[in-house]
Amino acid sequence: MTDSALPAPQLSWPARLHFASGDFACNLYWQSSSLFLFFYYTDVLHLAPQVAGMIYLIGAVWDGIADLLTGIWAERGRPAYARVVGYGAIPLGLAFPLLYFAPPFHGMALIGGLLVAQIAFRSLYALVNVSYAAWSARISSDSRDRAAIAGLRMVFGTIAAVVVSLSTERISRAVTGEATSVTGFLCAATAFALVATPLLIHVARRSPRGDATSRLATPTIPLRRGLAVLAGNRAFVTLCLAMMCVAIAATMLSRSVLYYFTYVVRDETAGTTALALMGVSGSVFVPLWMLARHRIGSRALWLGAVALATTGSIVFAATDTGVAWRADLFLVALQAALAAFSFVFWAMLPDTVEYGELHGGVRVEALSFGVAALLQKVSIGAATAITGFAYSAIGYAPQMAQSTAVIADIRWIMVVAPIVGCLLSALAMAANPLRRDTHRRIMTTLAARAAATPPA
């Protein structure tokens, strides 16, 4: 069946754009904590890399737990996601700057204060972000709508990455005269919160609510049953495994970028420019990946991105001389692949809900997004901790000239992680059962099953 023979998608492009713009707000928070927070801990607060890594790991693990708890709550209570996003936006905006507030303590008291800020922010972020992500499964049951929304969310997310990359140190310099200072980073975080908060409220008020009738009519299921359905959902499990491998690879890469440019290229400003360039390239490539998915399917696109990432990493490892432009080309190629991974993941995740409903007999919606977010956050936290211990093991010392051996090891950390992680993700994705047009057939079968079931 061709697309022209199908009924029109359920959402207009303006409705898709409006809903997807919420990812710009979420990514102002996410990209800041992903790109700068670890560097802030080591090179502004002067924490040892392994200590910074453990703080980040604990925060990320709690983030994942909060994601899971949000998913469990939403699966049982079936809340209106728009209401959760709208009301949660304000406390989230107040909590975010706390990540960059340095309490006037030392030793364990300082670490405890940083952990409190992590837990406060991540709890609220989980509440808002999981609800927003789960909303994408309810806002439309049409796979084309979902893929379009996933692509648009990626575009907004990468635009946010560019904004964060280019403005963080510039805001700091404008306020304090220094590119990296406690007050400067705190002001940048506050500025991001002032933009993100009203945008999330606007999205919550003006976006389509989705099918509220099915939400209220679908009976709740026990947690154990829901987790069992997810564990038996091969589409969900293999997609999450592939995502975890990529998340670890991407995290170790992104955590190393500022260190590479600061100590290998010896141009700190070029590092933030490279991060912005990665964001720009992500925005450019997402529309291409949306078109490619339409032609070859999500699974094939993922495997193609694996080939791009591994080839780019191998070429960079063989040719790197510490020159900025070579690193920029490498990072653009990697970001193109990472944009494809992220797009495919968010496009496929809602479809795994119906796959599980077909094979498990019940619909597990919010819990799917909660568990997926838990696995993603744990992977990111573990990768950050691994990076911290790796930098400590190679003898890295903040704000000092690094030895030749340390510089070489920074290069290898940045290159090997994408190769290994992406190849492992390819093995997981090869086992995913969602091929082209699979979801369309699933929806047809579920509709026929519903029509044949007598009303209660």
Side-chain angles (χ1 to χ4, degrees):
M1 182 182 291
T2 63
D3 284 347
S4 60
L6 294 172
Q10 299 171 0
L11 300 177
S12 65
W13 276 103
R16 293 169 173 177
L17 280 164
H18 195 280
F19 176 77
S21 66
D23 229 59
F24 178 82
C26 290
N27 269 277
L28 288 177
Y29 298 137
W30 180 256
Q31 296 294 342
S32 177
S33 62
S34 296
L35 298 176
F36 286 98
L37 190 57
F38 183 73
F39 185 81
Y40 171 79
Y41 285 160
T42 61
D43 281 47
V44 179
L45 299 186
H46 303 295
L47 298 178
Q50 65 271 25
V51 174
M54 287 305 299
I55 293 173
Y56 204 99
L57 172 61
I58 293 170
V61 169
W62 172 253
D63 196 341
I65 293 172
D67 289 333
L68 178 59
L69 293 175
T70 300
I72 293 170
W73 166 73
E75 197 68 50
R76 291 181 173 181
R78 305 296 169 89
Y81 294 133
R83 186 172 299 173
V84 178
V85 172
Y87 284 115
I90 295 175
L92 174 60
L94 293 174
F96 177 67
L98 295 177
L99 288 180
Y100 296 96
F101 175 74
F105 307 136
H106 300 282
M108 291 303 298
L110 173 61
I111 294 173
L114 296 176
L115 284 172
V116 168
Q118 284 262 1
I119 291 171
F121 163 72
R122 292 181 182 275
S123 298
L124 292 163
Y125 185 80
L127 178 66
V128 171
N129 190 248
V130 170
S131 299
Y132 175 70
W135 191 357
S136 67
R138 186 181 298 166
I139 197 171
S140 174
S141 60
D142 190 291
S143 185
R144 292 165 295 173
D145 280 333
R146 292 172 173 182
I149 287 172
L152 292 172
R153 288 179 62 192
M154 280 294 304
V155 171
F156 280 112
T158 53
I159 293 173
V162 174
V163 171
V164 170
S165 301
L166 290 179
S167 63
T168 298
E169 292 189 354
R170 286 170 172 80
I171 291 174
S172 176
R173 187 177 288 110
V175 174
T176 67
E178 300 178 53
T180 55
S181 67
V182 172
T183 302
F185 274 96
L186 179 61
C187 289
T190 302
F192 298 149
L194 289 174
V195 173
T197 301
L199 178 56
L200 283 173
I201 293 172
H202 184 69
V203 168
R205 289 181 175 177
R206 301 298 182 183
S207 293
R209 297 299 191 263
D211 190 356
T213 303
S214 63
R215 167 175 65 91
L216 297 174
T218 304
T220 59
I221 59 174
L223 174 60
R224 184 176 299 179
R225 175 81 187 281
L227 292 174
V229 170
L230 287 181
N233 184 336
R234 186 157 65 97
F236 176 81
V237 171
T238 53
L239 179 63
C240 285
L241 286 174
M243 173 273 299
M244 292 172 70
C245 294
V246 166
I248 292 173
T251 300
M252 295 188 70
L253 170 71
S254 64
R255 298 293 182 272
S256 298
V257 169
L258 290 177
Y259 297 96
Y260 177 87
F261 278 90
T262 300
Y263 298 105
V264 180
V265 179
R266 297 181 181 178
D267 187 345
E268 186 175 332
T269 302
T272 57
T273 302
L275 291 174
L277 185 61
M278 292 173 69
V280 171
S281 66
S283 299
V284 170
F285 280 104
V286 167
L288 298 178
W289 299 149
M290 294 171 70
L291 179 61
R293 177 194 175 274
H294 176 72
R295 293 183 176 275
I296 65 176
S298 296
R299 184 171 168 273
L301 176 56
W302 187 289
L303 297 176
V306 169
L308 174 62
T310 52
T311 301
S313 299
I314 292 170
V315 170
F316 178 70
T319 61
D320 178 39
T321 58
V323 178
W325 69 266
R326 291 182 185 272
D328 288 338
L329 287 178
F330 162 65
L331 292 173
V332 166
L334 264 291
Q335 184 59 37
L338 293 175
F341 293 137
S342 186
F343 166 60
V344 170
F345 175 72
W346 289 111
M348 290 182 68
L349 185 58
D351 292 353
T352 67
V353 173
E354 283 84 24
Y355 182 91
E357 183 178 1
L358 177 67
H359 294 278
V362 294
R363 182 178 179 86
V364 182
E365 184 180 282
L367 187 61
S368 299
F369 287 86
V371 171
L374 166 65
L375 297 174
Q376 183 184 42
K377 303 297 176 53
V378 169
S379 300
I380 292 172
T384 303
I386 292 170
T387 303
F389 280 101
Y391 273 70
S392 179
I394 66 177
Y396 168 79
Q399 300 293 332
M400 294 179 60
Q402 310 300 322
S403 67
T404 303
V406 170
I407 289 174
D409 288 336
I410 290 175
R411 283 196 182 103
W412 281 113
I413 291 171
M414 192 167 71
V415 170
V416 172
I419 295 174
V420 175
C422 289
L423 290 176
L424 290 175
S425 80
L427 294 177
M429 186 55 71
N432 191 284
L434 291 177
R435 307 296 199 268
R436 291 190 69 186
D437 297 328
T438 299
H439 184 260
R440 189 179 302 159
R441 294 193 297 270
I442 289 173
M443 294 302 295
T444 301
T445 303
L446 290 174
R449 178 188 293 177
T453 302

